[in-house]
Amino acid sequence: MVSLYSCCPFPSTKALQMYPSFLFLSPRNPKLLPFTISRILRASSCSAAKHQQPIRARYAGVQLEETVDETKQGKLRLDSWISSRIQSISRARVQFSIKSGLVTVNGRVVDKVSHGLRAGDKVNCVISELQPLKAEPEDIPLDIVFEDDHVLVVNKPPHMVVHPAPGNATGTLVNGILHHCSLPTVALSEKDVLSDTEDVSDDEAFSCGGSAAASVRPGIVHRLDKGTSGLLVVAKDEHSHAHLSEQFKQHMIQRVYISLTCGVPSPSAGRVDIPIGRDSNNRIRMVAVPGLSHHGRARHAASRYKVIEVLAGGGSALVQWRLETGRTHQIRAHAKYMGIPLLGDEVYGGSKSMALSLLRPRIPPNYNDELSKLVSRLERPYLHALVLGFKHPHSSEKMHFSCSPPPDFSEILSHLRNIGIEKPISKEAAS
């Protein structure tokens, strides 16, 4: 475990209307704030479909030699395909290996992670050594919504990763927090780097009790995906972290999201209670399948949704989500299960081609040019953490924050409204 202690002055408490986001600074001395980064790296076996690999800690040197089979999935990304062939390895680790020149396709080195594969391509990949990771303070503008001696609420922009990991060592929210709190560089040894097999969901809180304290990430109580914007909260002391974690586990945290979807949910409001587990064909993706939880392959997940606006003649919708649980990719997986993947969510089916196929038949021909330009600008899943509420870990005061979506979300929404907008007709089935 790596601990850094440094004085971190904080401005006077000032509540703003924004979304929250959680990180954790855990001081043993009330005047000194340590930034703790630690993770136990578990050794795992890895295998390819046609080649049994020996058990090797941290995957270093593991080799994959395989020919891409005939597929009905269309174009395959190189990084996604390799991730699916080596059990439990992180996509970031695969991407680092590709960028390091350790992957060939048909005998030629390919260093582009998004390189498209075709059936019959011969892929040779060697997994790189796990490089020591440093979390360095970076002067990254942070949208601080609220701050006092115990918690810090941040409005995370889209495209920002929350914590450092192989392939994303800089530009993260953690790097910005280190600078904000005037903390020095955190140097991680190989054993401290985030596990390749780990993918903790919101409610699988980063427990700080007993030996588990050594495996808590840089203060994360819950997290948002890279493409998701909105609020996170940072706990500045162990007491605050423990109380906030417990609130998450007891489902006492209020979380409201809004999204833009491909198509419109039917009915216009309801509750999705479908377990979510890892997709066996693609480890970077989760899947919602009824009954999986009974076999230990998935965990209970429940989301309430409500259509706020029907957009572009029914080709899209502005949908509100309230989470009862907080599983990895919960909204994205549930939306795909409902047949309305989030707009811009390539991983879960909300591709540009799908958006065009749904929108184009429903809009007047004079909007075709505007539609093409709009779809070409889709760069992420359009999901925003709109509201966050929790009980203050020290004062027990009810804290409530909300903030508008970022400009890219607002711009797409404005264009869709311009094409056509209506309110849902059916009555609300969920509060």
Side-chain angles (χ1 to χ4, degrees), residues 19 27 95 107 111 116 154 163 192 202 231 247 286 311 319 348 373 407 415:
Y19 290 92
Q95 290 177 337
D111 58 8
V154 182
H163 50 76
D192 293 315
D202 289 351
L231 295 167
Q247 289 182 53
M286 308 301 288
L311 303 165
V319 180
Y348 287 89
K373 292 178 181 178
H415 281 286

Side-chain angles (χ1 to χ4, degrees), residues 107 170 192 220:
T170 62
D192 293 315
I220 308 300

Side-chain angles (χ1 to χ4, degrees), residues 324-392:
E324 294 182 16
T325 57
R327 308 306 178 204
T328 301
H329 297 180
Q330 178 170 318
I331 292 175
R332 298 167 67 186
H334 275 168
K336 178 178 174 60
Y337 173 82
M338 295 165 62
I340 46 118
L342 304 189
L343 198 65
D345 194 348
E346 297 279 347
V347 174
Y348 287 89
S351 63
K352 295 179 181 180
S353 60
M354 181 177 185
L356 281 173
S357 67
L358 285 171
L359 290 165
R360 185 166 284 156
R362 293 172 168 83
I363 67 172
N366 58 303
Y367 283 107
N368 280 338
D369 288 343
E370 181 179 350
L371 176 62
S372 297
K373 292 178 181 178
L374 181 150
V375 171
S376 69
R377 291 198 293 269
L378 300 179
E379 296 180 343
R380 66 174 179 103
Y382 284 85
L383 180 64
H384 177 68
L386 185 66
V387 173
L388 180 64
F390 58 92
K391 183 182 291 187
H392 194 282

Side-chain angles (χ1 to χ4, degrees), residues 264 268 306-314 316-318 413 417 420-428:
V264 182
S268 62
K306 179 173 63 176
V307 176
I308 305 302
E309 296 172 357
V310 177
L311 303 165
S316 182
L318 177 64
L413 175 58
R417 283 172 170 168
I421 177 175
E422 59 184 275
K423 298 295 181 180
I425 298 175
S426 58
K427 295 181 179 179
E428 295 180 7

Side-chain angles (χ1 to χ4, degrees), residues 20-251:
S21 168
F22 294 106
L23 291 176
F24 170 42
L25 301 177
S26 164
R28 298 176 183 174
N29 183 321
K31 295 182 179 180
L32 299 175
L33 293 174
F35 197 87
T36 304
I37 300 183
S38 175
R39 177 54 72 193
I40 299 173
L41 188 68
R42 297 182 293 274
S44 296
S45 63
C46 71
S47 62
K50 300 180 180 178
H51 304 277
Q52 290 295 327
Q53 299 286 353
I55 296 176
R56 304 188 186 190
R58 304 177 183 89
Y59 302 96
V62 167
Q63 186 170 5
L64 169 71
E65 295 182 21
E66 192 170 339
T67 299
V68 179
D69 292 332
E70 292 291 338
T71 176
K72 297 180 181 179
Q73 300 178 10
K75 183 179 178 181
L76 295 172
R77 280 177 57 117
L78 178 60
D79 56 347
S80 297
W81 185 82
I82 293 175
S83 297
S84 72
R85 311 313 292 168
I86 303 178
Q87 182 181 351
S88 299
I89 194 170
S90 71
R91 191 174 185 180
R93 185 73 178 280
V94 170
Q95 290 177 337
F96 186 83
S97 301
I98 294 171
K99 293 175 181 178
S100 298
L102 299 177
V103 176
T104 64
V105 178
N106 300 325
R108 299 182 61 181
V109 174
V110 175
D111 58 8
K112 184 178 179 181
V113 298
S114 61
H115 174 81
L117 293 175
R118 297 180 179 179
D121 283 347
K122 295 181 179 180
V123 179
N124 188 309
C125 170
V126 178
I127 300 302
S128 67
E129 292 288 338
L130 192 60
Q131 301 298 314
L133 188 63
K134 291 184 179 181
E136 298 183 353
E138 295 181 50
D139 188 4
I140 302 172
L142 297 178
D143 189 351
I144 306 295
V145 175
F146 173 84
E147 186 168 15
D148 65 11
D149 290 338
H150 308 288
V151 297
L152 176 70
V153 178
V154 182
N155 180 29
K156 186 186 87 68
H159 309 297
M160 174 182 273
V161 176
V162 171
H163 50 76
N168 286 299
T170 62
T172 73
L173 186 62
V174 165
N175 296 112
I177 292 292
L178 285 171
H179 181 272
H180 176 75
C181 293
S182 301
L183 294 170
T185 297
V186 176
L188 301 178
S189 65
E190 197 169 343
K191 68 179 181 179
D192 293 315
V193 178
L194 296 175
S195 168
D196 275 319
T197 62
E198 181 222 18
D199 193 358
V200 182
S201 72
D202 289 351
D203 286 346
E204 298 172 90
F206 302 57
S207 171
C208 62
S211 61
S215 63
V216 175
R217 291 196 205 212
I220 308 300
V221 178
H222 80 141
R223 66 183 182 184
L224 297 176
D225 295 334
K226 176 182 178 180
T228 304
S229 56
L231 295 167
L232 293 174
V233 61
V234 181
K236 293 181 178 178
D237 55 75
E238 293 182 5
H239 173 85
S240 297
H241 178 266
H243 276 253
L244 290 170
S245 297
E246 188 63 24
Q247 289 182 53
F248 268 93
K249 290 178 182 178
Q250 298 301 321
H251 310 304

